[in-house]
Amino acid sequence: MADYDWSKFCRRIDVNADADMIYMSLATQAGLESWFLRTAEFTAPDNVLRRKNEFFKKDDTYRWLWFGYGDETEERGTILEANGTDMVKFTFAGTCEVTISIKNDQGLTVVEITQENIPLDEKSKANWHLGCSTGWTFYLANLKSVLEGGLDLRNKNEALQRVVNA
């Protein structure tokens, strides 16, 4: 493990869905709220809130809330890139950057999440590397579940704590 890179990780999953449907799930409020977030608000640079089915764009800011957590657990950040077809990139967890890409691999549609620029102190390794890696693994599985069969696996009970699906 001496060569392990704690500054980033990558998680991938194949999803049996059309790339356009996957991108809609990654790049709109309605899409993100179907598999990932309780609330996903996007604000354009002119301070206008984007509509639920409108694609977010580069330089938009966001405010996110999760099921299973109160409103005090929120994430705010900036959209760094959104190409309209197969890739989004945003700031996350302080200094981190997350890129989500839709790729073709072995004839399958693969969604790939890379989180990088993770600080190398012990707290960041635990929270932003190990914790986020676990979280993204679950949320990728939930994206697959929602798009392939409609079953949302998220814990929506704020009173139920310390579960992997919240």
Side-chain angles (χ1 to χ4, degrees):
M1 281 298 230
D3 293 334
Y4 189 78
D5 186 354
W6 287 96
S7 71
K8 65 182 177 180
F9 63 83
C10 180
R11 298 291 172 263
R12 297 164 34 101
I13 196 165
D14 66 291
V15 178
N16 187 15
D18 178 86
D20 290 339
M21 181 183 293
I22 295 171
Y23 190 80
M24 180 71 76
S25 297
L26 300 176
T28 66
Q29 177 180 352
L32 288 167
E33 290 175 356
S34 73
W35 64 275
F36 180 38
L37 298 160
R38 172 168 50 106
T39 302
E41 296 174 341
F42 295 91
T43 304
D46 61 2
N47 288 321
V48 173
L49 202 61
R50 294 219 181 263
R51 296 180 313 278
K52 280 189 162 271
N53 287 307
E54 182 180 5
F55 287 127
F56 58 69
K57 297 184 178 7
K58 182 180 188 302
D59 298 324
D60 283 3
T61 58
Y62 68 80
R63 178 180 172 261
W64 291 348
L65 301 170
W66 283 263
F67 283 111
Y69 295 92
D71 289 354
E72 70 282 355
T73 303
E74 73 172 6
E75 181 73 23
R76 291 183 180 266
T78 303
I79 303 303
L80 301 173
E81 295 180 47
N83 71 4
T85 58
D86 62 6
M87 190 273 297
V88 298
K89 184 175 186 174
F90 49 88
T91 63
F92 190 73
T95 63
C96 299
E97 293 180 358
V98 172
T99 303
I100 308 177
S101 301
I102 304 165
K103 300 179 177 204
N104 184 297
D105 191 347
Q106 304 298 313
L108 299 171
T109 303
V110 174
V111 178
E112 179 178 284
I113 293 179
T114 302
Q115 184 166 319
E116 53 195 337
N117 296 335
I118 300 170
L120 298 177
D121 60 277
E122 294 305 309
K123 184 176 179 182
S124 295
K125 286 180 184 179
N127 291 339
W128 310 136
H129 190 97
L130 297 175
C132 288
S133 177
T134 300
W136 284 122
T137 299
F138 165 72
Y139 285 114
L140 279 174
N142 198 45
L143 173 66
K144 180 180 179 77
S145 181
V146 167
L147 289 179
E148 291 184 3
L151 184 60
D152 184 352
L153 306 172
R154 292 175 291 178
N155 166 44
K156 295 184 178 179
N157 181 352
E158 192 177 322
L160 180 61
Q161 297 291 304
R162 297 182 311 277
V163 293
V164 297
N165 60 331

